[in-house]
Amino acid sequence: MHHDSPSASRTHVLVLLKAMDVLQLLSEGDEFRLRDVATTLGLSKATCHRILGTLVFGGLVEQTSRGHYRAAAYAGRGVETLHTDDHMLRSTSRDAMAELRSATDENVFLFSHRDGRAHCLEVLDGRFASDITVRAGGTLPMHLGAAPRVMLAGLSDREIWDYQSARELLDTSSELSVATVYADVARTRRTGVVISCGEVDYKGMSIGAPIVDTSGCTIGAISVGTLTAATSPERVAELVPWVVRAAEQASAAVEPPAA
């Protein structure tokens, strides 16, 4: 479908109309190569690449390990199952989050992960609530921020390789090299915690720890967020065990899957 007429350009944002065409094409449920999407819709490869990259970043489209594209709803599990899993994680983490917020008076976050993104499920406001960058319903790349990075470390080596391959193809704004991300994964696997400074918001810092299910798989993460300027090294040392304890409490509340 073409939207390049003068009347269309006066009343609509053309790139949004083109993005809608891309989503409509991908909603058929098949995987598409970049050149196939561009050819089918009459777009240049450069324009198509920018649109697809933005849609992937926003969680509406996925890029497979082969570099193909598909609508996010067709990846892995269905939307209904994902919502059920998120509801379970919220339920099992509620007490741990409340205790963490009460003990620290910091902003407390709950994240899950799917489709190569970290999804913020819930936020409990702390003393710097007005400075929160990510709210419930928001998403982050898996390699930026304490909760996303701790979940990335919980993936299998193959899943991390697939994520890194997609990240390189998308040419995200992050300047982190592949080697840096792998080194961070190795360090996180040793320590079980991530301390992040200025990655998501230049003013903020966060501390995250993983939530694991009964099989040991990382299914989410709990983190606290605060302002870097208001946090001393001593305060960080106080917060780390509180975050780890909350994540362990949430993990202990996860029920084994039904037989």
Side-chain angles (χ1 to χ4, degrees), residues 124-141:
L124 299 184
D125 292 349
R127 57 180 177 149
F128 297 118
S130 61
D131 294 288
I132 291 177
T133 302
V134 181
R135 286 288 181 181
T139 67
L140 291 171

Side-chain angles (χ1 to χ4, degrees), residues 124-217:
L124 299 184
D125 292 349
R127 57 180 177 149
F128 297 118
S130 61
D131 294 288
I132 291 177
T133 302
V134 181
R135 286 288 181 181
T139 67
L140 291 171
M142 292 286 285
H143 61 284
L144 295 178
R149 284 166 53 195
V150 84
M151 291 190 295
L152 181 64
L155 299 181
S156 68
D157 290 343
R158 174 67 190 191
E159 289 172 318
I160 294 173
W161 186 90
D162 287 343
Y163 173 77
Q164 281 290 81
S165 299
R167 187 177 75 89
E168 289 297 298
L169 288 170
L170 285 175
D171 189 26
T172 65
S173 59
S174 170
E175 296 180 355
L176 291 178
S177 68
V178 172
T180 300
V181 173
Y182 274 112
D184 182 65
V185 165
R187 181 170 55 252
T188 302
R189 286 174 173 175
R190 290 195 305 270
T191 63
V193 67
V194 167
I195 300 173
S196 166
C197 295
E199 294 179 355
V200 178
D201 181 346
Y202 75 95
K203 298 182 299 181
M205 69 159 298
S206 57
I207 303 168
I211 300 172
V212 299
D213 63 15
T214 54
S215 67
C217 293

Side-chain angles (χ1 to χ4, degrees), residues 1-85:
M1 185 181 299
H2 296 280
H3 305 288
D4 296 325
S5 67
S7 59
S9 63
R10 286 195 299 268
T11 57
H12 304 290
V13 180
L14 293 181
V15 70
L16 293 181
L17 295 175
K18 293 175 181 178
M20 291 169 63
D21 288 343
V22 171
L23 286 173
Q24 183 175 352
L25 177 64
L26 297 183
S27 68
E28 297 175 6
D30 297 322
E31 292 185 6
F32 292 83
R33 295 174 298 180
L34 170 64
R35 65 183 180 186
D36 294 333
V37 177
T39 300
T40 301
L41 299 178
L43 303 173
S44 69
K45 287 186 179 180
T47 297
C48 193
H49 183 267
R50 288 195 297 271
I51 291 173
L52 285 166
T54 301
L55 293 173
V56 171
F57 189 81
L60 298 176
V61 169
E62 286 186 327
Q63 188 171 31
T64 71
S65 59
R66 296 186 298 169
H68 296 179
Y69 296 89
R70 61 187 177 190
Y74 289 94
R77 300 171 293 173
V79 173
E80 182 178 351
T81 301
L82 292 173
H83 288 178
T84 300
D85 290 348

